[in-house]
Amino acid sequence: MGTERRIASENKLQEDNKVQVKSKERVAAHGEVFTADREVNAMLDLVKSETERIDSRFLEPACGNGNFLAKILERKLAVVRARYGKEQNLYERNALFAVSSIYGIEIQMDNVMECRERLLEIFKNEYLKIFHEKYKQECLESVEFLLLRNVLWGNALDYCEPTEERKPLVFSEWSFLDDGMVKRRDFTFADLVTGQYSLFSDLGVESSATDPVKDYPLVNYTDLNSEAYE
Ligand SMILES: C[S@@+](CC[C@H](N)C(=O)[O-])C[C@H]1O[C@@H](n2cnc3c(N)ncnc32)[C@H](O)[C@@H]1O
């Protein structure tokens, strides 16, 4: 191999490693090695039909900065675009529904923030590409709020925030109704874990979890924000 090609190939390898490993310390402390795109896609292809179902719920209990969640969102949004790309309100409701079905837990706060930002960016790019200046700012704010609620800073092993108080992790179940209203019900993660990770039920039956810790009034999909849920 010529010197230039070898250097280019080493640089590429370093670039890939940089993406997969932030630091040796983080690998040692948290086992943080990110999965490369090729493997993510290959694994998601094993459940391809689920990744293309708008309402299928995914939880990644060690989501890092969102390598799996990002691809799932992209796949779901491609379906929403193909089905509803010509009708803005329907697109928005279904695209938000797609976002609401994606959940993550991550123990390192910087990864949590990166993951939320990354998913928001994916949504925003796609939404603006389709609807240009007709986009609604409040829709983007609803997405931001969904991500704040769905991608949690926590320890997936003890179901709590990684602080001394060990506040229990609480996830929201979002049900999108045909008239654009959204029902939110909160459950502790501990209650949702029954033998294996099972997040609510998305098969048309009531959640098999115990009672919600909180049940909220209906809110329009453009108004999902902290004020609406005060
Ligand atoms: C091997 S990395 C995988 C990240 C991501 N899933 C991916 O495939 O790119 C494991 C991730 O789990 C996080 N982690 C480790 N222990 C955890 C725990 N008890 N609860 C939640 N996240 C944890 C680490 O911070 C790290 O980001």
Side-chain angles (χ1 to χ4, degrees):
M1 192 189 287
T3 314
E4 273 179 29
R5 268 185 65 197
R6 188 172 45 76
I7 292 172
S9 143
E10 280 171 4
N11 284 348
K12 170 87 179 58
L13 209 67
Q14 276 172 12
E15 190 59 29
D16 288 350
N17 286 341
K18 204 163 70 195
V19 175
Q20 290 192 258
V21 172
K22 283 186 178 174
S23 74
K24 280 192 210 154
E25 292 71 29
R26 292 170 69 109
V27 176
H30 299 289
E32 185 193 68
V33 179
F34 297 122
T35 311
D37 274 5
R38 201 178 54 171
E39 280 74 43
V40 170
N41 277 317
M43 287 170 75
L44 292 180
D45 283 345
L46 298 172
V47 286
K48 194 164 189 289
S49 58
E50 290 300 309
T51 63
E52 293 170 349
R53 195 157 67 82
I54 298 169
D55 56 340
S56 59
R57 291 196 179 100
F58 281 84
L59 163 67
E60 225 218 312
C63 68
N65 59 8
N67 286 336
F68 282 87
L69 301 184
K71 293 285 172 215
I72 294 167
L73 182 59
E74 283 172 1
R75 289 178 182 213
K76 283 176 173 246
L77 289 181
V79 173
V80 177
R81 180 185 199 154
R83 281 196 206 147
Y84 306 108
K86 293 200 164 40
E87 218 287 282
Q88 186 163 353
N89 286 341
L90 271 181
Y91 175 89
E92 288 166 353
R93 270 158 46 189
N94 282 281
L96 261 70
F97 192 13
V99 173
S100 80
S101 70
I102 293 174
Y103 296 84
I105 302 174
E106 166 57 46
I107 205 161
Q108 298 186 84
M109 183 50 107
D110 63 334
N111 284 342
V112 173
M113 307 294 280
E114 271 178 50
C115 181
R116 289 175 183 152
E117 275 162 30
R118 187 172 172 188
L119 298 178
L120 178 64
E121 255 339 89
I122 290 169
F123 182 93
K124 202 167 160 181
N125 284 340
E126 180 76 358
Y127 180 40
L128 267 63
K129 214 188 291 166
I130 305 173
F131 297 105
H132 310 281
E133 69 284 353
K134 286 189 288 173
Y135 84 91
K136 297 183 191 127
Q137 182 58 31
E138 60 271 29
C139 244
L140 294 176
E141 285 162 17
S142 285
V143 171
E144 229 176 317
F145 183 73
L146 287 171
L147 294 171
L148 188 73
R149 284 291 319 127
N150 281 21
V151 180
L152 298 183
W153 177 51
N155 183 339
L157 297 178
D158 70 3
Y159 321 137
C160 294
E161 282 186 1
T163 56
E164 268 182 25
E165 294 84 59
R166 297 182 68 244
K167 212 170 130 208
L169 295 177
V170 173
F171 276 118
S172 300
E173 176 192 58
W174 309 96
S175 307
F176 279 65
L177 310 183
D178 288 341
D179 60 359
M181 301 303 277
V182 181
K183 178 77 182 160
R184 169 182 168 187
R185 297 192 307 159
D186 285 359
F187 296 86
T188 63
F189 181 48
D191 279 349
L192 292 171
V193 178
T194 49
Q196 57 175 343
Y197 292 124
S198 65
L199 195 68
F200 319 116
S201 168
D202 58 15
L203 298 173
V205 289
E206 285 291 292
S207 167
S208 58
T210 52
D211 294 336
V213 286
K214 197 150 181 192
D215 193 316
Y216 296 85
L218 292 172
V219 169
N220 194 275
Y221 77 93
T222 52
D223 296 326
L224 304 175
N225 52 51
S226 40
E227 292 86 67
Y229 290 113
E230 261 167 12

